[in-house]
Amino acid sequence: GVESVDIYVRDTTRASNAIVAAQASGVLANVHDLAAFGTVSSHSMTICTLPGTVDVDLPRQGLSGRSLIDVAYAPWPTERAVAWQAAGGDVVSGLHMLVRQAILQVRTFVSGSPDVEVENESKVFSDMGAVVGLGDLFEPR
């Protein structure tokens, strides 16, 4: 149901692949310089793919009801995750993405295909989540 995305990048001249991917999905992509992100207040979901050590100027307030998926998982929590929560927003760790990618790699290793589930996959998935500190509540989706 997403019709458009705003993409904030460190170098706008390197965003062509993201624009092409968005267009192929029928989504309008607007590219902005990362420095402008701190002035934005209307996005309900932000996905950050920057390394955990890269600083981003975030809004200091008004993030209630807004979510950040910070794909960085080390160091965790990142400074931006702490700042986002302090401003009232919700944060999801990149560890969730890491484990979901890992199960696809295990499938590929075992069967040759990321589409073929492995034996006892639910337990494997849960164990992977526990190993990285996501606990017993981590379940596949």
Side-chain angles (χ1 to χ4, degrees):
V2 173
E3 295 176 2
S4 67
V5 295
D6 289 297
I7 302 171
Y8 293 83
V9 294
R10 292 180 276 184
D11 181 353
T12 57
T13 65
R14 297 178 58 197
S16 60
N17 287 343
I19 294 168
V20 169
Q23 289 173 341
S25 300
V27 175
L28 172 66
N30 301 297
V31 176
H32 311 277
D33 189 282
L34 183 59
F37 182 77
T39 63
V40 176
S41 62
S42 63
H43 299 96
S44 61
M45 171 66 65
T46 297
I47 303 169
C48 183
T49 60
L50 295 169
T53 55
V54 174
D55 189 30
V56 179
D57 186 26
L58 297 172
R60 300 286 181 218
Q61 58 186 1
L63 295 179
S64 180
R66 295 176 54 199
S67 299
L68 169 69
I69 300 174
D70 193 347
V71 301
Y73 50 86
W76 188 259
T78 62
E79 288 183 25
R80 70 180 151 260
V82 171
W84 193 275
Q85 284 183 314
D90 298 313
V91 175
V92 176
S93 163
L95 288 171
H96 295 273
M97 185 183 76
L98 177 72
V99 174
R100 283 178 171 73
Q101 288 175 334
I103 198 70
L104 296 176
Q105 291 169 344
V106 169
R107 286 177 176 181
T108 301
F109 180 77
V110 171
S111 72
S113 171
D115 299 321
V116 178
E117 288 192 15
V118 295
E119 187 177 334
N120 296 320
E121 182 165 312
S122 219
K123 174 140 179 45
V124 171
F125 198 82
S126 177
D127 289 348
M128 288 174 145
V131 165
V132 297
L134 294 177
D136 294 335
L137 300 176
F138 186 64
E139 297 179 11
R141 293 183 188 190

